[in-house]
Amino acid sequence: MDPPIIPRDRLNTFISDVFHNFAELHADHRKLLDQLHDIQREEHPTIKSVTTPMSDAVLNFRDAYMEYVPNYPIAAYRIDDEMANNIEFKTFVEQCIRHPDAHRLDMKNLLNRPIPRLLRYQLLLKVILDETPAGHEDREAIPELLETLKVLCKETDPGIQLAQQKVQLWCYNSNLQFKPGESVLLREPDTGFEGNGWTEIFVLLFDNYLVMTEPEETNGVTKYNVDQRPIPLDLLTLANFADAPIQRSTSILRLGIGEPPPSGGAPESATDSRL
């Protein structure tokens, strides 16, 4: 569309994050399909073996899958985030779902289709192996091919986990809610103050700030209300985590600083400080 539904300054990045290297993956599978059709035309009605084109395909699309599969969590997040903040994009996606060719599948379903295909290949090859007579060369070739596919599926796991962690961090970031006038990242004055008890908090450690929040769930969405102004990492120091927890009464936790209990033991109102 002109102008595009997604602003031009973000359009190319959005397309790259969502569709990534799908064209490369499509080309590899198209090549496999063409090779299978060639075999079918040459050997009809009985196909002797499909392991040679399958083995070539697995080797060819390995790099493409290693790139595509770990990107799926990022693609799904970009779609959800855009739908939540761009009504025109949400309307477009909903219109696409109603198209007969979509079969009621949304963008995330369609983007996910290549991923379980690796498992389907394994199931189909196992069925072929069960029907392969003893002494046929595929009795050895298919198990090797199955192992190669199995290894490929496992090799994508670390990338998926890393992408999921990145997406979780983005979700925390987008759901942070500052108090009015508190969105400026400044250091809290080092004057100290007293409180009336402990409040459970949710701590987020980013690569530049430590943020203390209070989770609040509304309509199934958890928002993280910022409890205090974020603390720059260069103002933090690590304490000795091997020491026993310090007992405190009503004093507020000060990062890296503890007040030992008075001699004779902790007071009756002491509470074990924890994060």
Side-chain angles (χ1 to χ4, degrees), residues 1-2 4 25 34 54 66 70 94 101 122 132-133 139 151 166 178 196-197 203 213 218 232-233 244 246 250:
M1 297 182 65
D2 191 14
L25 207 58
D34 291 341
M54 279 299 305
M66 289 294 293
E94 292 173 347
D101 291 344
Q122 294 181 57
T132 301
R139 297 295 297 183
V151 169
K166 183 182 296 185
F178 289 89
N196 295 321
V203 179
T213 72
T218 304
L233 288 194
I246 298 174
T250 58

Side-chain angles (χ1 to χ4, degrees), residues 62-160:
R62 179 189 178 280
D63 290 343
Y65 265 107
M66 289 294 293
E67 184 79 15
Y68 186 89
V69 176
N71 185 71
Y72 178 76
I74 294 175
Y77 171 82
R78 293 300 188 199
I79 292 172
D80 289 341
D81 184 64
E82 195 67 32
M83 290 184 68
N85 297 285
N86 186 339
I87 187 62
E88 292 186 17
F89 178 77
K90 181 179 180 181
T91 301
F92 167 75
V93 172
E94 292 173 347
Q95 290 174 345
C96 291
I97 295 174
R98 292 192 292 269
H99 193 285
D101 291 344
H103 301 289
R104 304 298 299 175
L105 299 176
D106 63 15
M107 286 184 68
K108 291 190 294 183
N109 291 128
L110 295 173
L111 288 169
N112 186 62
R113 292 295 289 274
I115 299 175
R117 185 173 293 273
L118 292 176
L119 298 177
R120 293 195 184 103
Y121 283 151
Q122 294 181 57
L123 294 175
L124 291 170
L125 287 169
K126 288 178 181 178
V127 173
I128 295 175
L129 181 61
D130 292 339
E131 299 296 328
T132 301
H136 194 287
E137 61 182 10
D138 281 358
R139 297 295 297 183
E140 294 184 4
I142 291 179
E144 293 176 357
L145 185 54
L146 287 170
E147 182 62 25
T148 301
L149 286 168
K150 182 179 179 181
V151 169
L152 174 56
C153 290
K154 287 185 177 180
E155 287 180 335
T156 62
D157 287 344
I160 294 174

